[in-house]
Amino acid sequence: MTHKVAPSVLSADFGNLDRDIEMINNSEADWFHVDIMDGVFVPNISFGFPVIKAIKKKAQKPLDVHLMIVEPDRYINQFVDAGAEVLTVHYEACTHLHRTLGAIKDAGAMAGVAINPHTPAHLLNDVFEMIDLITVMSVNPGFGGQSFIENTYEKLVQLKNISERKNHRPYLEVDGGVSLENYKKLLECGANVLVAGNTVFSSESPESTILALKQY
Ligand code: DX5
Ligand code: ZN
């Protein structure tokens, strides 16, 4: 399988959102990565339903929605109705993760689980078969443009091994500090979805940076 690239809209210019969405539409990107932050689970607030709906209207590629919020169960149907094709909750924010994953699937989206840098891979063992995508956080969630945490490589390898042992292969997404310097090693360790915010949007030509991240 060739890997996917999901530019993070969090790093877009919200004063020129249409332009940046068009750029992603015209690029080799596969998904739009959409970060939702509630100011409680993470120390930052991003945006909510009106903005997601506005992105959905223009986006010609699937929305990969990453919920950094407490009690995500309360909003699953609303996020799917707003246009999430992939809906990812945080392991650390879910008391009843098995139930939450079932609810996401019932709502008609792919079910994702994100794990923070301190959360070990094996904690996903007992719900592994229900998961369509695992987001390995390679920064502490909350902000774009942070530096990459090195233990991510090992965690990807562990998750790849679990996938093989269980013969169930969810997408392995890496989120935070992904760059042109580290993406190849991440792919070699088992990642097959690269989220990139700062690397794409602070570059001179976001479209060519996306293309570069697709080369392997
Ligand atoms: C961090 C978010 C990321 C962020 C990535 O909490 O989940 O998706 O936008 O941004 P970069 O690629 O700049 O680290
Ligand atoms: Zn994210």
Side-chain angles (χ1 to χ4, degrees):
M1 187 182 79
T2 60
H3 67 278
K4 296 190 188 301
V5 171
S8 174
V9 179
L10 188 66
S11 295
D13 176 355
F14 280 75
N16 289 292
L17 194 52
D18 271 14
R19 181 201 64 193
D20 286 355
I21 292 172
E22 261 324 289
M23 181 282 291
I24 296 175
N25 282 338
N26 294 329
S27 76
E28 292 298 312
D30 299 273
W31 292 345
F32 285 72
H33 185 80
V34 179
D35 287 306
I36 308 299
M37 303 177 180
D38 66 354
V40 180
F41 181 69
V42 289
N44 194 12
I45 296 176
S46 58
F47 49 80
F49 298 111
V51 175
I52 303 174
K53 285 181 186 159
I55 296 170
K56 182 68 185 175
K57 238 187 233 167
K58 301 276 165 70
Q60 289 160 13
K61 299 171 183 184
L63 302 194
D64 167 33
V65 177
H66 175 195
L67 300 183
M68 286 159 274
I69 66 173
V70 297
E71 297 184 39
D73 308 66
R74 294 169 59 191
Y75 303 103
I76 288 168
N77 287 319
Q78 255 175 288
F79 280 110
V80 174
D81 290 347
E85 268 95 347
V86 182
L87 190 59
T88 298
V89 294
H90 262 266
Y91 174 86
E92 303 81 7
C94 295
T95 313
H96 303 288
L97 183 59
H98 181 281
R99 178 185 289 149
T100 306
L101 292 171
I104 296 173
K105 285 167 175 289
D106 287 348
M110 283 169 60
V113 181
I115 52 176
N116 276 337
H118 72 276
T119 301
H122 70 82
L123 289 178
L124 299 180
N125 267 337
D126 289 1
V127 286
F128 207 82
E129 282 82 356
M130 299 180 76
I131 305 177
D132 299 310
L133 172 142
I134 297 170
T135 302
V136 179
M137 292 309 301
S138 36
V139 296
N140 288 294
F143 304 93
Q146 303 182 85
S147 44
F148 180 82
I149 295 173
E150 297 282 324
N151 89 325
T152 307
Y153 297 118
E154 200 186 316
K155 211 183 279 190
L156 285 165
V157 172
Q158 290 165 357
L159 287 165
K160 198 176 156 198
N161 290 340
I162 299 173
S163 308
E164 276 157 20
R165 200 172 67 236
K166 291 189 177 278
N167 197 23
H168 173 73
R169 293 173 178 76
Y171 285 110
L172 293 183
E173 176 175 80
V174 56
D175 186 7
V178 172
S179 68
L180 291 170
E181 284 72 48
N182 63 20
Y183 82 98
K184 285 192 180 156
K185 186 167 174 190
L186 290 166
L187 298 172
E188 278 155 16
C189 290
N192 50 27
V193 184
L194 302 171
V195 174
N198 191 54
T199 291
V200 166
F201 286 98
S202 69
S203 69
E204 222 162 89
S205 165
E207 238 182 285
S208 2
T209 303
I210 291 169
L211 181 62
L213 289 169
K214 286 289 287 184
Q215 307 298 316
Y216 184 68

